[in-house]
């Protein structure tokens, strides 16, 4: 209140007098005692601010914070392929707060003729890849499609998958429906 004190020409008790004395007193009273409309608006502003902060903090894709049956897909990538290669693979992580399953995928024909679900199993030093009709997402658990494991195979590539490029892939889930994701082509896993 230093600037207000400088305006006053004389002081008597707690009241400022002088050319601006009445205005200063009115201003001080308003600052010290908010109006009824400002007092009643304060709780609403506080609640609205809290809601915005919670919404901002809750968007991290954490499956444990959802209860709508949706699937959250993250870390979607494909390994770059050399020229002449006719197949590629897409890897990702999917979580759901309810049991669901990945039932298939579609890719733009400009990228590959088809996209199919596969799993790789190793036994006795031999790896065997098997086509799958579904890949299960257990309740509250993770479906990890990763190298040397389950993956989405891109069949009959139209050209090499080049590092640094992206393409869209539509995933089909039994419960959650379709979700289109962007696949990042990389040399190595993220």
């Amino acid at each position: 209140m230093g600037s207000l004190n400088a305006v006053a020409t004389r002081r008597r008790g707690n009241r400022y007098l002088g050319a601006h004395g009445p205005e200063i007193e009115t201003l001080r009273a308003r600052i010290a005692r908010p109006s009824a409309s400002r007092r009643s608006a304060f709780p609403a502003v506080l609640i609205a601010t809290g809601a915005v902060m919670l919404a901002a903090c809750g968007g991290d894709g954490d499956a444990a914070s959802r209860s709508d049956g949706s699937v959250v897909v993250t870390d979607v990538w494909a390994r770059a392929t050399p020229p002449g290669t006719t197949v590629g693979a897409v890897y990702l992580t999917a979580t759901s707060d309810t049991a669901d399953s990945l039932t298939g995928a579609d890719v733009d024909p400009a990228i590959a003729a088809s996209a199919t679900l596969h799993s790789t199993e190793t036994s006795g030093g031999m790896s065997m890849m098997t086509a799958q009709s579904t890949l299960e997402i257990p309740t509250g658990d993770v479906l990890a499609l990763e190298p040397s494991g389950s993956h989405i195979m891109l069949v009959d590539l139209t050209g090499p998958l080049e590092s640094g490029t992206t393409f869209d892939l539509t995933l089909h889930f039994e419960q959650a429906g379709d979700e289109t994701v962007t696949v990042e082509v990389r040399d190595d896993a993220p």
Side-chain angles (χ1 to χ4, degrees):
M1 299 297 279
S3 61
L4 292 179
N5 288 337
V7 173
T9 56
R10 289 180 288 147
R11 183 170 185 226
R12 184 179 302 158
N14 272 341
R15 302 184 62 94
Y16 288 93
L17 303 175
H20 300 288
E23 292 91 355
I24 292 172
E25 282 301 314
T26 302
L27 179 61
R28 291 183 80 195
R30 284 185 182 168
I31 291 171
R33 193 178 59 242
S35 68
S37 64
R38 283 193 292 175
R39 281 192 307 265
S40 64
F42 181 73
V45 170
L46 185 61
I47 291 169
T49 302
V52 168
M53 291 175 64
L54 284 173
C57 293
D60 65 354
D62 180 10
S65 66
R66 293 182 337 274
S67 62
D68 61 357
S70 65
V71 174
V72 174
V73 179
T74 59
D75 302 324
V76 184
W77 68 286
R79 191 175 306 278
T81 60
T85 302
T86 60
V87 295
V90 174
Y91 309 105
L92 57 87
T93 301
T95 57
S96 179
D97 59 342
T98 60
D100 206 335
S101 56
L102 178 61
T103 59
D106 288 321
V107 66
D108 185 337
I111 302 296
S114 64
T116 58
L117 305 178
H118 282 84
S119 64
T120 304
E121 296 179 22
T122 304
S123 177
M126 297 288 292
S127 292
M128 180 181 224
M129 191 170 10
T130 308
Q132 302 291 316
S133 59
T134 62
L135 295 173
E136 300 299 319
I137 306 172
T139 301
D141 207 351
V142 175
L143 168 64
L145 305 187
E146 51 195 12
S148 301
S150 297
H151 57 277
I152 298 170
M153 182 176 282
L154 303 175
V155 181
D156 293 330
L157 292 172
T158 59
L161 299 177
E162 296 178 356
S163 185
T165 62
T166 61
F167 61 91
D168 288 341
L169 181 74
T170 300
L171 305 171
H172 307 292
F173 295 98
E174 186 175 328
Q175 303 298 319
D178 293 351
E179 182 172 343
T180 300
V181 296
T182 299
V183 180
E184 178 185 7
V185 180
R186 304 172 53 97
D187 291 322
D188 296 307

